[in-house]
Amino acid sequence: MEIKKVGEIQYIEVDEAVVKRNRTRVFVDDEIVALSCKNCGGIFLLENFYNNKRGVVGKHNICIKCDNKKVDKHQKQNPEMALAKYHNYRARKNGNRGELTGDSVSMMFERAKKLVDGKEALVCQVSGEVLDFPVLGHIIAVNKRGGHSAPSNMIVISQKVNTLQGDENLWRFLLTEKGLEIANKETVKETLEMIADSKNMSPKEYLMTQLEFKEIVAFSEHYLGGIKIIRLD
């Protein structure tokens, strides 16, 4: 099949074009080579449709361009749901659980809000800085065992914190030079208490599931007001 062009117009020579169920099906050598888009009405080669096992010749009923516009519109109208789907997909791809919903993402943003200069603002739950472009970050990285996309393993952070943390456990990262430099002690303490409470644990009980003993001691001394832990033999 040869695609020909006259000016800006592309065309192909066909044997037959049949309208069935309000869609045009274009045939060459008894095979469907093009379909009309149910949304915009344009006729496109099959490569311009996403695959869909239930569709005509295994193709979706609207063209890729219309499909993408539909997705973009949905994401703009439902940003929380779009974020939930994205992070759930990443978790499941790595063998972890994806438990986020649009409502739980909204709740995560709400718990990251604080009064700053008399106005409510969204702040990074590590650095305490006001955010223009917040990021949902994992405490245990999504590509690690236990890196579930769930409110108990995610917080609102800045892109800078997210980049610096990489795939390191958040609490371990906060003991590194870069972590100590960017973290706000009071904000980290509040975040730790919030996550621990969501698991019905005290901060130290929760840290014992995340860090080695020496790390817990160092973390407690730096972020939890100088409280020390002594290991008993």
Side-chain angles (χ1 to χ4, degrees):
M1 180 182 63
E2 181 183 0
I3 300 175
K4 298 181 179 181
K5 189 173 183 179
V6 176
E8 296 299 320
I9 300 175
Q10 289 185 326
Y11 70 94
I12 57 174
E13 293 181 357
V14 304
D15 296 333
E16 187 180 19
V18 178
V19 177
K20 186 176 181 180
R21 295 181 182 176
N22 296 320
R23 292 190 70 195
T24 300
R25 307 176 187 206
V26 179
F27 291 82
V28 172
D29 296 331
D30 296 324
E31 290 186 5
I32 295 177
V33 297
L35 292 167
S36 62
C37 171
K38 195 173 182 179
N39 186 63
C40 68
I43 297 177
F44 304 94
L45 296 176
L46 299 183
E47 64 193 37
N48 293 289
F49 295 86
Y50 287 124
N51 292 332
N52 184 333
K53 291 181 180 180
R54 297 183 179 181
V56 178
V57 291
K59 294 296 180 178
H60 197 27
N61 60 7
I62 62 176
C63 67
I64 289 176
K65 187 175 181 180
C66 287
D67 209 336
N68 289 342
K69 285 182 179 180
K70 186 177 179 181
V71 171
D72 288 342
K73 182 179 179 181
H74 176 75
Q75 289 181 342
K76 288 178 181 178
Q77 293 176 340
N78 305 276
E80 292 84 4
M81 181 58 73
L83 276 173
K85 288 183 177 180
Y86 168 69
H87 285 293
N88 286 342
Y89 168 77
R90 291 182 65 213
R92 291 164 184 160
K93 186 178 179 181
N94 285 281
N96 293 311
R97 297 194 306 272
E99 301 176 350
L100 296 178
T101 64
D103 288 341
S104 65
V105 170
S106 295
M107 177 271 291
M108 291 170 66
F109 283 129
E110 283 299 317
R111 71 187 187 185
K113 289 180 179 178
K114 284 187 176 182
L115 284 177
V116 179
D117 297 328
K119 295 183 179 179
E120 191 174 62
L122 200 61
V123 301
C124 172
Q125 292 181 288
V126 168
S127 67
E129 66 179 299
V130 175
L131 300 174
D132 292 322
F133 302 101
V135 173
L136 292 181
H138 289 75
I139 293 171
I140 300 175
V142 72
N143 62 345
K144 303 289 185 180
R145 183 178 179 182
H148 310 302
S149 286
S152 59
N153 188 50
M154 299 183 75
I155 58 174
V156 177
I157 55 178
S158 67
Q159 183 60 60
K160 184 177 181 179
V161 170
N162 191 50
T163 300
L164 291 175
Q165 180 191 352
D167 63 359
E168 183 70 271
N169 177 292
L170 175 67
W171 314 116
R172 185 168 287 118
F173 160 70
L174 291 175
L175 290 173
T176 66
E177 183 178 348
K178 291 181 179 179
L180 291 168
E181 183 179 336
I182 200 170
N184 176 281
K185 289 185 180 181
E186 188 59 35
T187 300
V188 170
K189 182 180 179 182
E190 290 176 1
T191 299
L192 174 63
E193 290 172 345
M194 176 194 70
I195 294 295
D197 185 64
S198 73
K199 295 178 176 289
N200 296 314
M201 296 179 175
S202 70
K204 290 195 183 67
E205 287 173 334
Y206 168 65
L207 285 177
M208 287 179 184
T209 69
Q210 300 289 307
L211 303 173
E212 299 294 331
F213 183 76
K214 289 182 179 179
E215 295 172 322
I216 296 172
V217 172
F219 193 97
S220 298
E221 290 179 347
H222 188 79
Y223 291 106
L224 303 182
I227 301 173
K228 296 184 178 180
I229 300 174
I230 298 176
R231 184 171 185 171
L232 299 176
D233 295 322

